[in-house]
Amino acid sequence: MTVDLSVELCGIRLEHPIINGSGTFDALAARRAFGEELDRRFPFSAFVSKTITLEPRAGNPPPRLYETPAGMINSIGLPNRGLEGFLGEDLPKLATLPVPLIVSVMATSREAFSTLVDRVGARDEVAAIELNVSCPNVKSGLIVGEQPEETRALLDSVRPLTEKPLIVKLTPNCAEPEAVAAAAQGAGADAVSLINTLRATALDPRTGERWLGGGSGGLSGPAVRPVALDQVRRVAESCSIPVIGMGGIESGSDALAFQRLGATAVAVGTASFRDPGAAGRIRSELSAELAAAGLDALPVREAASTSS
Ligand code: RRO
């Protein structure tokens, strides 16, 4: 049976539904390591950049990773060249990847978010912008993505600045992700993606001190998959814009579970750390899963019970 894996995400046609989670695959390093072979077998149907900020950042002191049962905690702390460095150095290279480019941005004020969206959105190489809202608003002290009102106000600021699709990357560290998704949708977001990592801490057993240089971090990997599935289900049931599902996807069967619960696309993150080819394998497995279920295309999402 021929299986059609293609999907449409915010008006962008994708060959298949598997993209990367922001910050989990360094495409420029992979190209240095694998050369043109990477382009021939590029594992993702769209590429999401590591989140960038207005100013350059060094990131957190090491250690930045801690392995847990069925997962890992990261505390990378957003190292990046800043907007100008990204536009001048990284974007021209990322634009030569064989798939559409989604640029992920984060800021601690609406003004800085606006500058990022305005400048990134003006570039033809960029297909869509991801707003990473797992960050505090320095004025209110609140984590934007934990609060529907903060999320709505952010979208109100940035929505008029670009016609490019805006994808809001939701945090799982809140009581009601569906309320935040609804606020994002109501203020003009084109899609939501979830989940970012779950807030987590690890201690060094020898010293009793916190292990990670940044203090606490975010948990990802198969350990978080049931949480991610539940949040994707709740968000997909309560809003009508596309949902990009992620959280511990390691197999085609995992990917299909997110699709069955309403995800239009899925992202592979932690699995790529162990095997940079994981997403390619997951794509083949997804195809085989669908064929085995007698399906020639991905499940179609049921209409949401409520909309904006
Ligand atoms: O850079 C990070 O430490 C980081 C970010 Br910006 C994020 O959104 N999620 C995460 O787990 N780590």
mmCIF file of all heavy atoms in Angstrom, residues 51-90:
data_model
loop_
_atom_site.group_PDB
_atom_site.id
_atom_site.type_symbol
_atom_site.label_atom_id
_atom_site.label_comp_id
_atom_site.label_asym_id
_atom_site.label_seq_id
_atom_site.Cartn_x
_atom_site.Cartn_y
_atom_site.Cartn_z
ATOM 1 N N THR A 51 16.299 28.383 19.665
ATOM 2 C CA THR A 51 15.700 29.682 20.016
ATOM 3 C C THR A 51 16.765 30.774 20.060
ATOM 4 O O THR A 51 17.844 30.583 20.634
ATOM 5 C CB THR A 51 14.998 29.578 21.389
ATOM 6 O OG1 THR A 51 13.991 28.576 21.322
ATOM 7 C CG2 THR A 51 14.357 30.909 21.764
ATOM 8 N N ILE A 52 16.435 31.918 19.467
ATOM 9 C CA ILE A 52 17.354 33.061 19.520
ATOM 10 C C ILE A 52 16.744 34.192 20.351
ATOM 11 O O ILE A 52 15.524 34.270 20.522
ATOM 12 C CB ILE A 52 17.727 33.586 18.112
ATOM 13 C CG1 ILE A 52 16.486 34.108 17.354
ATOM 14 C CG2 ILE A 52 18.432 32.506 17.309
ATOM 15 C CD1 ILE A 52 16.820 35.040 16.212
ATOM 16 N N THR A 53 17.634 35.043 20.855
ATOM 17 C CA THR A 53 17.229 36.211 21.639
ATOM 18 C C THR A 53 17.774 37.473 20.949
ATOM 19 O O THR A 53 18.575 37.363 20.015
ATOM 20 C CB THR A 53 17.795 36.115 23.070
ATOM 21 O OG1 THR A 53 19.207 35.871 22.995
ATOM 22 C CG2 THR A 53 17.143 34.985 23.849
ATOM 23 N N LEU A 54 17.367 38.623 21.454
ATOM 24 C CA LEU A 54 17.813 39.869 20.825
ATOM 25 C C LEU A 54 19.325 40.034 20.969
ATOM 26 O O LEU A 54 20.033 40.317 20.008
ATOM 27 C CB LEU A 54 17.064 41.035 21.492
ATOM 28 C CG LEU A 54 17.003 42.368 20.786
ATOM 29 C CD1 LEU A 54 16.592 42.226 19.336
ATOM 30 C CD2 LEU A 54 16.017 43.280 21.529
ATOM 31 N N GLU A 55 19.813 39.841 22.190
ATOM 32 C CA GLU A 55 21.243 40.008 22.455
ATOM 33 C C GLU A 55 21.923 38.640 22.507
ATOM 34 O O GLU A 55 21.277 37.652 22.860
ATOM 35 C CB GLU A 55 21.457 40.703 23.816
ATOM 36 C CG GLU A 55 20.822 42.074 23.929
ATOM 37 C CD GLU A 55 21.343 43.055 22.889
ATOM 38 O OE1 GLU A 55 22.505 42.905 22.453
ATOM 39 O OE2 GLU A 55 20.569 43.954 22.508
ATOM 40 N N PRO A 56 23.236 38.589 22.207
ATOM 41 C CA PRO A 56 23.947 37.308 22.333
ATOM 42 C C PRO A 56 23.928 36.827 23.780
ATOM 43 O O PRO A 56 23.912 37.628 24.705
ATOM 44 C CB PRO A 56 25.382 37.645 21.906
ATOM 45 C CG PRO A 56 25.315 38.973 21.237
ATOM 46 C CD PRO A 56 24.111 39.684 21.771
ATOM 47 N N ARG A 57 23.924 35.512 23.953
ATOM 48 C CA ARG A 57 23.953 34.919 25.303
ATOM 49 C C ARG A 57 24.958 33.774 25.321
ATOM 50 O O ARG A 57 25.048 32.998 24.369
ATOM 51 C CB ARG A 57 22.582 34.339 25.660
ATOM 52 C CG ARG A 57 21.507 35.374 25.958
ATOM 53 C CD ARG A 57 20.179 34.675 26.163
ATOM 54 N NE ARG A 57 20.292 33.663 27.204
ATOM 55 C CZ ARG A 57 19.959 33.829 28.473
ATOM 56 N NH1 ARG A 57 19.450 34.976 28.864
ATOM 57 N NH2 ARG A 57 20.101 32.861 29.352
ATOM 58 N N ALA A 58 25.671 33.660 26.453
ATOM 59 C CA ALA A 58 26.664 32.582 26.588
ATOM 60 C C ALA A 58 26.012 31.277 27.031
ATOM 61 O O ALA A 58 26.598 30.206 26.861
ATOM 62 C CB ALA A 58 27.729 32.988 27.600
ATOM 63 N N GLY A 59 24.827 31.347 27.599
ATOM 64 C CA GLY A 59 24.187 30.138 28.122
ATOM 65 C C GLY A 59 24.623 29.861 29.543
ATOM 66 O O GLY A 59 25.367 30.636 30.147
ATOM 67 N N ASN A 60 24.138 28.757 30.105
ATOM 68 C CA ASN A 60 24.399 28.445 31.508
ATOM 69 C C ASN A 60 25.756 27.789 31.691
ATOM 70 O O ASN A 60 26.278 27.142 30.780
ATOM 71 C CB ASN A 60 23.310 27.505 32.040
ATOM 72 C CG ASN A 60 21.993 28.237 32.250
ATOM 73 O OD1 ASN A 60 21.983 29.458 32.393
ATOM 74 N ND2 ASN A 60 20.899 27.495 32.250
ATOM 75 N N PRO A 61 26.312 27.912 32.915
ATOM 76 C CA PRO A 61 27.562 27.193 33.191
ATOM 77 C C PRO A 61 27.318 25.683 33.182
ATOM 78 O O PRO A 61 26.198 25.247 33.466
ATOM 79 C CB PRO A 61 27.951 27.666 34.600
ATOM 80 C CG PRO A 61 26.723 28.273 35.183
ATOM 81 C CD PRO A 61 25.838 28.703 34.055
ATOM 82 N N PRO A 62 28.356 24.881 32.872
ATOM 83 C CA PRO A 62 28.183 23.430 32.930
ATOM 84 C C PRO A 62 28.087 22.949 34.375
ATOM 85 O O PRO A 62 28.481 23.691 35.273
ATOM 86 C CB PRO A 62 29.460 22.905 32.252
ATOM 87 C CG PRO A 62 30.466 23.983 32.464
ATOM 88 C CD PRO A 62 29.707 25.283 32.513
ATOM 89 N N PRO A 63 27.631 21.725 34.616
ATOM 90 C CA PRO A 63 27.050 20.804 33.652
ATOM 91 C C PRO A 63 25.669 21.268 33.171
ATOM 92 O O PRO A 63 24.912 21.863 33.937
ATOM 93 C CB PRO A 63 26.920 19.490 34.431
ATOM 94 C CG PRO A 63 27.415 19.724 35.815
ATOM 95 C CD PRO A 63 27.717 21.169 35.974
ATOM 96 N N ARG A 64 25.375 20.948 31.906
ATOM 97 C CA ARG A 64 24.115 21.396 31.304
ATOM 98 C C ARG A 64 23.124 20.253 31.086
ATOM 99 O O ARG A 64 21.990 20.496 30.696
ATOM 100 C CB ARG A 64 24.401 22.050 29.955
ATOM 101 C CG ARG A 64 25.107 23.388 30.073
ATOM 102 C CD ARG A 64 25.458 23.909 28.698
ATOM 103 N NE ARG A 64 25.817 25.320 28.724
ATOM 104 C CZ ARG A 64 26.124 26.017 27.650
ATOM 105 N NH1 ARG A 64 26.132 25.441 26.460
ATOM 106 N NH2 ARG A 64 26.426 27.285 27.744
ATOM 107 N N LEU A 65 23.584 19.027 31.268
ATOM 108 C CA LEU A 65 22.705 17.866 31.045
ATOM 109 C C LEU A 65 22.782 16.913 32.225
ATOM 110 O O LEU A 65 23.822 16.790 32.872
ATOM 111 C CB LEU A 65 23.134 17.094 29.787
ATOM 112 C CG LEU A 65 23.025 17.795 28.432
ATOM 113 C CD1 LEU A 65 23.543 16.878 27.331
ATOM 114 C CD2 LEU A 65 21.596 18.231 28.142
ATOM 115 N N TYR A 66 21.690 16.222 32.482
ATOM 116 C CA TYR A 66 21.646 15.194 33.533
ATOM 117 C C TYR A 66 20.739 14.089 33.034
ATOM 118 O O TYR A 66 19.589 14.341 32.664
ATOM 119 C CB TYR A 66 21.102 15.794 34.829
ATOM 120 C CG TYR A 66 21.079 14.823 35.980
ATOM 121 C CD1 TYR A 66 22.179 14.672 36.827
ATOM 122 C CD2 TYR A 66 19.940 14.049 36.226
ATOM 123 C CE1 TYR A 66 22.144 13.785 37.886
ATOM 124 C CE2 TYR A 66 19.908 13.152 37.292
ATOM 125 C CZ TYR A 66 21.025 13.024 38.115
ATOM 126 O OH TYR A 66 20.997 12.147 39.168
ATOM 127 N N GLU A 67 21.256 12.855 32.993
ATOM 128 C CA GLU A 67 20.432 11.755 32.482
ATOM 129 C C GLU A 67 19.545 11.212 33.598
ATOM 130 O O GLU A 67 19.985 11.051 34.736
ATOM 131 C CB GLU A 67 21.338 10.638 31.937
ATOM 132 C CG GLU A 67 20.564 9.675 31.068
ATOM 133 C CD GLU A 67 21.456 8.767 30.241
ATOM 134 O OE1 GLU A 67 22.664 9.050 30.113
ATOM 135 O OE2 GLU A 67 20.928 7.767 29.736
ATOM 136 N N THR A 68 18.285 10.977 33.290
ATOM 137 C CA THR A 68 17.322 10.444 34.258
ATOM 138 C C THR A 68 16.781 9.118 33.718
ATOM 139 O O THR A 68 16.985 8.816 32.540
ATOM 140 C CB THR A 68 16.126 11.397 34.438
ATOM 141 O OG1 THR A 68 15.383 11.424 33.221
ATOM 142 C CG2 THR A 68 16.558 12.795 34.801
ATOM 143 N N PRO A 69 16.065 8.341 34.535
ATOM 144 C CA PRO A 69 15.428 7.148 33.985
ATOM 145 C C PRO A 69 14.486 7.568 32.851
ATOM 146 O O PRO A 69 13.607 8.405 33.051
ATOM 147 C CB PRO A 69 14.648 6.566 35.169
ATOM 148 C CG PRO A 69 15.345 7.109 36.377
ATOM 149 C CD PRO A 69 15.848 8.470 35.982
ATOM 150 N N ALA A 70 14.748 7.048 31.648
ATOM 151 C CA ALA A 70 13.911 7.323 30.473
ATOM 152 C C ALA A 70 13.839 8.799 30.099
ATOM 153 O O ALA A 70 12.817 9.270 29.618
ATOM 154 C CB ALA A 70 12.499 6.765 30.659
ATOM 155 N N GLY A 71 14.894 9.536 30.364
ATOM 156 C CA GLY A 71 14.846 10.929 29.941
ATOM 157 C C GLY A 71 16.126 11.671 30.263
ATOM 158 O O GLY A 71 17.139 11.078 30.631
ATOM 159 N N MET A 72 16.056 12.976 30.114
ATOM 160 C CA MET A 72 17.198 13.805 30.508
ATOM 161 C C MET A 72 16.715 15.187 30.902
ATOM 162 O O MET A 72 15.642 15.643 30.473
ATOM 163 C CB MET A 72 18.226 13.889 29.379
ATOM 164 C CG MET A 72 17.907 14.870 28.319
ATOM 165 S SD MET A 72 19.189 14.906 27.049
ATOM 166 C CE MET A 72 18.570 16.302 26.109
ATOM 167 N N ILE A 73 17.500 15.829 31.765
ATOM 168 C CA ILE A 73 17.220 17.213 32.145
ATOM 169 C C ILE A 73 18.259 18.089 31.460
ATOM 170 O O ILE A 73 19.455 17.775 31.487
ATOM 171 C CB ILE A 73 17.308 17.410 33.670
ATOM 172 C CG1 ILE A 73 16.419 16.410 34.413
ATOM 173 C CG2 ILE A 73 16.910 18.831 34.045
ATOM 174 C CD1 ILE A 73 16.562 16.474 35.938
ATOM 175 N N ASN A 74 17.795 19.165 30.801
ATOM 176 C CA ASN A 74 18.754 20.101 30.226
ATOM 177 C C ASN A 74 18.602 21.459 30.884
ATOM 178 O O ASN A 74 17.510 21.849 31.309
ATOM 179 C CB ASN A 74 18.577 20.210 28.705
ATOM 180 C CG ASN A 74 17.509 21.212 28.312
ATOM 181 O OD1 ASN A 74 17.747 22.416 28.286
ATOM 182 N ND2 ASN A 74 16.311 20.701 28.036
ATOM 183 N N SER A 75 19.723 22.131 30.974
ATOM 184 C CA SER A 75 19.726 23.517 31.440
ATOM 185 C C SER A 75 20.762 24.237 30.585
ATOM 186 O O SER A 75 21.859 24.549 31.030
ATOM 187 C CB SER A 75 20.101 23.554 32.923
ATOM 188 O OG SER A 75 20.155 24.889 33.350
ATOM 189 N N ILE A 76 20.391 24.440 29.328
ATOM 190 C CA ILE A 76 21.339 24.975 28.355
ATOM 191 C C ILE A 76 21.421 26.494 28.505
ATOM 192 O O ILE A 76 22.509 27.068 28.428
ATOM 193 C CB ILE A 76 20.902 24.599 26.907
ATOM 194 C CG1 ILE A 76 20.581 23.090 26.795
ATOM 195 C CG2 ILE A 76 21.955 25.014 25.892
ATOM 196 C CD1 ILE A 76 21.735 22.163 27.026
ATOM 197 N N GLY A 77 20.278 27.116 28.720
ATOM 198 C CA GLY A 77 20.284 28.542 29.017
ATOM 199 C C GLY A 77 20.402 29.431 27.794
ATOM 200 O O GLY A 77 20.963 30.528 27.869
ATOM 201 N N LEU A 78 19.902 28.941 26.653
ATOM 202 C CA LEU A 78 19.744 29.782 25.471
ATOM 203 C C LEU A 78 21.025 30.386 24.907
ATOM 204 O O LEU A 78 21.035 31.567 24.552
ATOM 205 C CB LEU A 78 18.810 30.953 25.820
ATOM 206 C CG LEU A 78 17.333 30.757 25.581
ATOM 207 C CD1 LEU A 78 16.565 31.930 26.187
ATOM 208 C CD2 LEU A 78 17.068 30.734 24.088
ATOM 209 N N PRO A 79 22.110 29.637 24.820
ATOM 210 C CA PRO A 79 23.289 30.235 24.179
ATOM 211 C C PRO A 79 22.968 30.531 22.712
ATOM 212 O O PRO A 79 22.407 29.690 22.015
ATOM 213 C CB PRO A 79 24.352 29.137 24.297
ATOM 214 C CG PRO A 79 23.580 27.870 24.424
ATOM 215 C CD PRO A 79 22.290 28.222 25.103
ATOM 216 N N ASN A 80 23.253 31.725 22.268
ATOM 217 C CA ASN A 80 23.017 32.043 20.846
ATOM 218 C C ASN A 80 23.729 33.347 20.516
ATOM 219 O O ASN A 80 24.127 34.089 21.398
ATOM 220 C CB ASN A 80 21.519 32.092 20.538
ATOM 221 C CG ASN A 80 20.829 33.357 21.027
ATOM 222 O OD1 ASN A 80 20.586 34.272 20.266
ATOM 223 N ND2 ASN A 80 20.527 33.433 22.335
ATOM 224 N N ARG A 81 23.883 33.604 19.210
ATOM 225 C CA ARG A 81 24.641 34.777 18.756
ATOM 226 C C ARG A 81 23.864 36.070 18.864
ATOM 227 O O ARG A 81 24.376 37.132 18.515
ATOM 228 C CB ARG A 81 24.993 34.615 17.278
ATOM 229 C CG ARG A 81 25.910 33.505 16.920
ATOM 230 C CD ARG A 81 26.126 33.592 15.407
ATOM 231 N NE ARG A 81 26.482 32.315 14.833
ATOM 232 C CZ ARG A 81 27.719 31.859 14.754
ATOM 233 N NH1 ARG A 81 28.713 32.575 15.225
ATOM 234 N NH2 ARG A 81 27.975 30.685 14.202
ATOM 235 N N GLY A 82 22.583 35.994 19.235
ATOM 236 C CA GLY A 82 21.754 37.189 19.220
ATOM 237 C C GLY A 82 21.216 37.441 17.815
ATOM 238 O O GLY A 82 21.655 36.826 16.837
ATOM 239 N N LEU A 83 20.234 38.339 17.732
ATOM 240 C CA LEU A 83 19.520 38.553 16.470
ATOM 241 C C LEU A 83 20.468 38.893 15.319
ATOM 242 O O LEU A 83 20.394 38.287 14.242
ATOM 243 C CB LEU A 83 18.489 39.675 16.658
ATOM 244 C CG LEU A 83 17.729 40.085 15.403
ATOM 245 C CD1 LEU A 83 16.837 38.947 14.902
ATOM 246 C CD2 LEU A 83 16.873 41.321 15.686
ATOM 247 N N GLU A 84 21.373 39.874 15.526
ATOM 248 C CA GLU A 84 22.221 40.297 14.402
ATOM 249 C C GLU A 84 23.139 39.162 13.952
ATOM 250 O O GLU A 84 23.302 38.923 12.759
ATOM 251 C CB GLU A 84 23.065 41.532 14.780
ATOM 252 C CG GLU A 84 22.237 42.773 15.090
ATOM 253 C CD GLU A 84 21.281 43.181 13.962
ATOM 254 O OE1 GLU A 84 21.530 42.827 12.787
ATOM 255 O OE2 GLU A 84 20.277 43.842 14.263
ATOM 256 N N GLY A 85 23.716 38.462 14.928
ATOM 257 C CA GLY A 85 24.594 37.334 14.582
ATOM 258 C C GLY A 85 23.830 36.246 13.850
ATOM 259 O O GLY A 85 24.323 35.640 12.886
ATOM 260 N N PHE A 86 22.595 35.992 14.298
ATOM 261 C CA PHE A 86 21.777 34.961 13.645
ATOM 262 C C PHE A 86 21.465 35.362 12.205
ATOM 263 O O PHE A 86 21.647 34.575 11.268
ATOM 264 C CB PHE A 86 20.480 34.735 14.427
ATOM 265 C CG PHE A 86 19.557 33.762 13.751
ATOM 266 C CD1 PHE A 86 19.767 32.387 13.874
ATOM 267 C CD2 PHE A 86 18.506 34.205 12.965
ATOM 268 C CE1 PHE A 86 18.928 31.483 13.218
ATOM 269 C CE2 PHE A 86 17.671 33.305 12.317
ATOM 270 C CZ PHE A 86 17.886 31.953 12.440
ATOM 271 N N LEU A 87 21.009 36.615 12.024
ATOM 272 C CA LEU A 87 20.618 37.039 10.674
ATOM 273 C C LEU A 87 21.821 37.066 9.729
ATOM 274 O O LEU A 87 21.707 36.693 8.557
ATOM 275 C CB LEU A 87 19.970 38.434 10.725
ATOM 276 C CG LEU A 87 18.624 38.535 11.448
ATOM 277 C CD1 LEU A 87 18.139 39.989 11.454
ATOM 278 C CD2 LEU A 87 17.568 37.639 10.806
ATOM 279 N N GLY A 88 22.970 37.495 10.274
ATOM 280 C CA GLY A 88 24.149 37.630 9.412
ATOM 281 C C GLY A 88 24.868 36.315 9.153
ATOM 282 O O GLY A 88 25.371 36.090 8.042
ATOM 283 N N GLU A 89 24.936 35.461 10.151
ATOM 284 C CA GLU A 89 25.779 34.269 10.014
ATOM 285 C C GLU A 89 24.998 32.969 9.870
ATOM 286 O O GLU A 89 25.313 32.153 9.006
ATOM 287 C CB GLU A 89 26.711 34.156 11.230
ATOM 288 C CG GLU A 89 27.718 35.293 11.277
ATOM 289 C CD GLU A 89 28.612 35.195 12.494
ATOM 290 O OE1 GLU A 89 29.147 34.112 12.747
ATOM 291 O OE2 GLU A 89 28.738 36.214 13.197
ATOM 292 N N ASP A 90 24.015 32.738 10.724
ATOM 293 C CA ASP A 90 23.332 31.436 10.713
ATOM 294 C C ASP A 90 22.234 31.352 9.656
ATOM 295 O O ASP A 90 22.104 30.341 8.960
ATOM 296 C CB ASP A 90 22.705 31.141 12.094
ATOM 297 C CG ASP A 90 23.762 30.946 13.164
ATOM 298 O OD1 ASP A 90 24.932 30.712 12.800
ATOM 299 O OD2 ASP A 90 23.420 31.034 14.353
#
